Amino acid sequence: MNKINQIILCIIDDVSSDHFFNLINKGRLLNFKKLMKSGIFSTSCITDFPAITFPTQVSIITGTYTGDYRNELCHGVPMYDWMERSVSPPILRSYGTYGSDERVQIYKINEDIGNKCQTIFEMVDEGNSASIAQFINRGTKYFFPERKTKLIMYYLFIKYYKNIKEMMIRANTIIVKELLKTFKTPSEFFENQEPPIISLLWFVSSDLLMHSFGYDSKIYELNLRHIDKVMGYLIEELDKLGYLDDTVLAITSDHGNYKANKIGNMGLFLRSKGLTQYHPRKNIKGNMDLAEFGGLGFFYFKSNNPISKKIWKYPNLESLKVYGPKKVNLFQELFKIDGTELMYYKDDENSTDKGIIYLKRKIPETNKIESGYIEYRGNSKDLKTKYVSENQNNDIFGYSDDALAFKLLDNKFHSIQEWLDVTYHANYPIYPDLLIRHFKNPRSADIIISTKGKIAYNIKHGRERRSSYYLHDIGLRRSTVVPLIIAGPDEIPQREISHCKITDIVPTLLKLLGKTPHKSVVGKTLI
Ligand SMILES: [Zn+2]
């Protein structure tokens, strides 16, 4: 008989692996330390591109990445803020409050995921399941908070609660308490007396504190210690209820973080180039959407030959060279945005299983622009990519300087696992694979630029938000490597996994339950 009957997966938002394991080593997270010693753990679990809450959490919960969600097995969520051009007029999606209708759109995420993948709840369909504060909850039998209005209230409550410490304590405690109710009195939540097989917990307080006060603030660490404390309470209570011996606890994060050197000011730059932000609700026609710009800027444009002003056809590369009323060459002009060092965009002929993503890098000292590209073949499950830089001795992602990574600068196609094995410890881990998956999604931007985190812009759908130096979108190690612990009964081997990826979590957890993952799952089991 299988001895593992329940899985509890906790995502602690916005915690870098180094930070988390440092606190464990300093003895400041004693419950997590205990868990780490009673199962497998990895200090190098690589998250998705971009390192933003969505899509990374969708990738964790579905075990697959984004891609051409209409034609291949993958999910459809490219970013937190993006533009949907398959409808007219296009929709501005934001899982915060900056979208077309300026209301919280987070509950639309379960639709956006698409039907070519499954959530972990759908993969254990016959059993009870609970999602506590986790919005990616398609297929769950119980969701807290129960109703959409309550959900939005809860979301706003966490975001704007006046007394920070009290917010932190209440937000963390409620997560564990609500979960425990489903173990104590299952029949109140489900049709039988069985506790949930799968439970998902989302601790969001850490992310809110990171953006407001920084990962290096006292309150941020205090909060992690409080989450450790409530996890201790959860373990104690599960023990009392007799569930500790057949329950697995998995802990991870969706992304790490970084601090920018400077807050950027776009001023009238875009306008001076004839680029104006689109906004459907305000009836502003515009010719672009700057969907999101922290250290990474995501630009959406429309074809120069519109059928009508309302329809946004995808632009081709030629039109992006003579764009807008001032006929600017965007591949040159966007590099003039202060701090911009990297640029990525897709080829006109790309299809689901074949194509090219172009890469450009500006050398800050000389302003010289170097080129490279990633070529791909295959669908989500058997994707292979080839990464080539104009200067192979000093490539765009810096792999040529790395004793492991340089091996794959060999002009050949490689799988995600091959990229992971040689880049997990480097900056821009798995990028030659992850960038392709991102750009395959028709909801991805036309041009992405990066300041490599040196300058932060804090823009969402063209609007500047409250400025923060503390972000997490870019590909540096600090933002992309997250902790992973999978702990529980003796069936789980006690060992360190040198490296893995966030999509490995779901297949590993399902294997422990004796269940088979959906065919879309890209990750592999770690046990
Ligand atoms: Zn996050």
Side-chain angles (χ1 to χ4, degrees):
M1 220 183 99
N2 200 316
K3 280 196 181 161
I4 293 161
N5 296 319
Q6 293 88 226
I7 303 265
I8 300 171
L9 170 58
C10 314
I11 301 175
I12 310 172
D13 204 301
D14 209 329
V15 187
S16 81
S17 179
D18 285 353
H19 198 161
F20 186 76
F21 285 104
N22 269 337
L23 288 175
I24 284 187
N25 291 335
K26 284 180 184 164
R28 292 184 193 165
L29 303 173
L30 291 176
N31 292 302
F32 286 129
K33 187 172 190 170
K34 250 187 255 167
L35 290 172
M36 177 187 155
K37 303 242 168 195
S38 59
I40 60 169
F41 70 95
S42 183
T43 59
S44 296
C45 182
I46 308 303
T47 195
D48 202 353
F49 170 87
I52 297 177
T53 300
F54 312 111
T56 56
Q57 294 201 16
V58 181
S59 301
I60 293 173
I61 290 164
T62 59
T64 189
Y65 295 97
T66 196
D68 184 354
Y69 65 94
R70 304 160 305 180
N71 299 316
E72 61 180 341
L73 296 169
C74 65
H75 71 71
V77 177
M79 286 190 295
Y80 199 103
D81 291 81
W82 46 274
M83 184 190 232
E84 177 65 85
R85 283 177 286 190
S86 71
V87 292
S88 296
I91 291 169
L92 301 183
R93 172 71 81 238
S94 175
Y95 301 121
T97 49
Y98 299 89
S100 292
D101 52 7
E102 303 195 353
R103 293 195 190 114
V104 177
Q105 298 184 0
I106 182 66
Y107 54 88
K108 300 211 165 151
I109 201 161
N110 289 303
E111 244 171 83
D112 294 338
I113 290 171
N115 58 13
K116 294 275 199 291
C117 69
Q118 287 188 340
T119 65
I120 192 171
F121 301 117
E122 293 169 313
M123 292 185 227
V124 296
D125 189 39
E126 68 282 14
N128 292 340
S129 53
S131 174
I132 310 297
Q134 175 54 262
F135 303 111
I136 307 152
N137 54 19
R138 203 174 68 187
T140 192
K141 300 274 163 38
Y142 172 66
F143 174 51
F144 171 83
E146 295 92 342
R147 279 173 297 125
K148 219 180 261 178
T149 42
K150 241 175 141 183
L151 179 158
I152 292 165
M153 289 305 291
Y154 173 77
Y155 185 76
L156 295 176
F157 158 79
I158 290 180
K159 199 159 180 184
Y160 300 110
Y161 207 78
K162 293 267 160 47
N163 180 329
I164 295 294
K165 263 193 195 167
E166 198 185 327
M167 177 280 279
M168 172 189 105
I169 290 166
R170 287 179 72 159
N172 297 336
T173 308
I174 199 170
I175 305 274
V176 162
K177 288 209 161 151
E178 290 300 323
L179 175 70
L180 278 168
K181 284 183 191 167
T182 67
F183 276 78
K184 281 178 186 158
T185 52
S187 59
E188 271 183 41
F189 305 92
F190 311 113
E191 285 166 1
N192 54 34
Q193 263 300 348
E194 303 294 316
I197 296 178
I198 291 280
S199 310
L200 281 189
L201 310 185
W202 183 27
F203 291 101
V204 70
S205 53
S206 38
D207 183 66
L208 304 172
L209 294 170
M210 205 302 291
H211 287 292
S212 301
F213 303 100
Y215 57 80
D216 44 6
S217 65
K218 269 195 186 146
I219 184 89
Y220 177 79
E221 182 182 323
L222 204 64
N223 182 57
L224 288 183
R225 292 169 72 174
H226 186 255
I227 293 174
D228 180 78
K229 193 174 154 186
V230 299
M231 287 304 290
Y233 176 73
L234 173 65
I235 294 167
E236 230 173 76
E237 292 296 304
L238 286 174
D239 198 13
K240 278 188 207 160
L241 292 166
Y243 287 120
L244 195 58
D245 292 338
D246 63 348
T247 299
V248 162
L249 279 162
I251 319 292
T252 192
S253 184
D254 50 352
H255 49 76
N257 36 56
Y258 69 90
K259 185 178 183 181
N261 303 341
K262 191 178 139 186
I263 300 282
N265 183 353
M266 198 80 85
L268 297 173
F269 178 85
L270 294 176
R271 198 162 279 270
S272 75
K273 304 294 173 192
L275 303 174
T276 45
Q277 173 68 36
Y278 161 79
H279 206 294
R281 190 168 153 267
K282 293 179 182 160
N283 215 8
I284 297 171
K285 288 180 186 86
N287 59 5
M288 60 132 218
D289 175 33
L290 176 45
E292 192 153 350
F293 198 175
L296 277 177
F298 295 84
F299 289 86
Y300 293 76
F301 301 100
K302 66 199 284 194
S303 164
N304 268 357
N305 303 309
I307 301 163
S308 87
K309 278 184 176 165
K310 279 191 172 176
I311 299 174
W312 281 52
K313 268 175 50 181
Y314 289 89
N316 58 27
L317 296 180
E318 278 314 306
S319 71
L320 295 175
K321 287 179 186 162
V322 284
Y323 193 76
K326 301 203 172 172
K327 300 201 182 308
V328 293
N329 184 335
L330 292 168
F331 302 113
Q332 288 169 7
E333 294 304 320
L334 295 185
F335 262 120
K336 293 178 184 163
I337 294 171
D338 195 15
T340 302
E341 289 190 27
L342 297 173
M343 179 182 286
Y344 321 128
Y345 55 92
K346 55 194 158 190
D347 189 55
D348 292 336
E349 306 299 321
N350 283 4
S351 64
T352 307
D353 58 0
K354 207 173 161 197
I356 291 177
I357 300 300
Y358 298 103
L359 314 170
K360 292 210 180 297
R361 172 175 65 172
K362 186 168 85 175
I363 313 291
E365 295 77 30
T366 59
N367 278 345
K368 193 184 163 238
I369 309 260
E370 287 183 351
S371 304
Y373 65 91
I374 308 167
E375 196 177 340
Y376 66 94
R377 303 234 175 103
N379 285 318
S380 174
K381 293 274 280 191
D382 56 7
L383 178 70
K384 291 207 168 175
T385 60
K386 177 168 86 177
Y387 163 50
V388 179
S389 278
E390 181 186 342
N391 183 350
Q392 284 289 74
N393 297 319
N394 183 8
D395 69 297
I396 286 171
F397 298 133
Y399 292 174
S400 52
D401 284 337
D402 186 276
L404 278 179
F406 88 93
K407 290 179 191 166
L408 293 197
L409 300 177
D410 58 0
N411 250 315
K412 290 180 183 152
F413 286 90
H414 297 284
S415 68
I416 187 167
Q417 200 60 31
E418 290 174 279
W419 286 114
L420 172 71
D421 288 342
V422 301
T423 63
Y424 67 90
H425 58 291
N427 286 326
Y428 305 95
I430 340 183
Y431 260 49
D433 181 281
L434 297 178
L435 268 184
I436 293 294
R437 294 178 191 272
H438 176 82
F439 272 114
K440 275 193 189 189
N441 188 336
R443 293 163 172 166
S444 68
D446 299 312
I447 301 179
I448 301 175
I449 58 174
S450 170
T451 69
K452 293 172 102 175
K454 290 172 187 168
I455 298 186
Y457 283 91
N458 296 295
I459 290 172
K460 290 209 174 227
H461 293 302
R463 277 196 286 169
E464 279 187 43
R465 310 164 61 213
R466 191 165 59 105
S467 63
S468 172
Y469 286 88
Y470 293 97
L471 306 166
H472 48 71
D473 49 357
I474 54 164
L476 300 182
R477 209 182 169 280
R478 252 213 83 88
S479 318
T480 51
V481 186
V482 294
L484 177 64
I485 296 175
I486 298 178
D490 296 341
E491 281 68 38
I492 301 185
Q494 272 142 49
R495 66 183 174 94
E496 179 172 0
I497 308 266
S498 83
H499 54 275
C500 60
K501 49 196 190 299
I502 52 167
T503 50
D504 295 336
I505 298 170
V506 157
T508 305
L509 298 180
L510 288 175
K511 180 159 190 207
L512 290 170
L513 279 176
K515 303 210 180 269
T516 319
H518 184 247
K519 57 190 176 183
S520 60
V521 169
V522 167
K524 65 182 190 71
T525 172
L526 300 171
I527 290 172

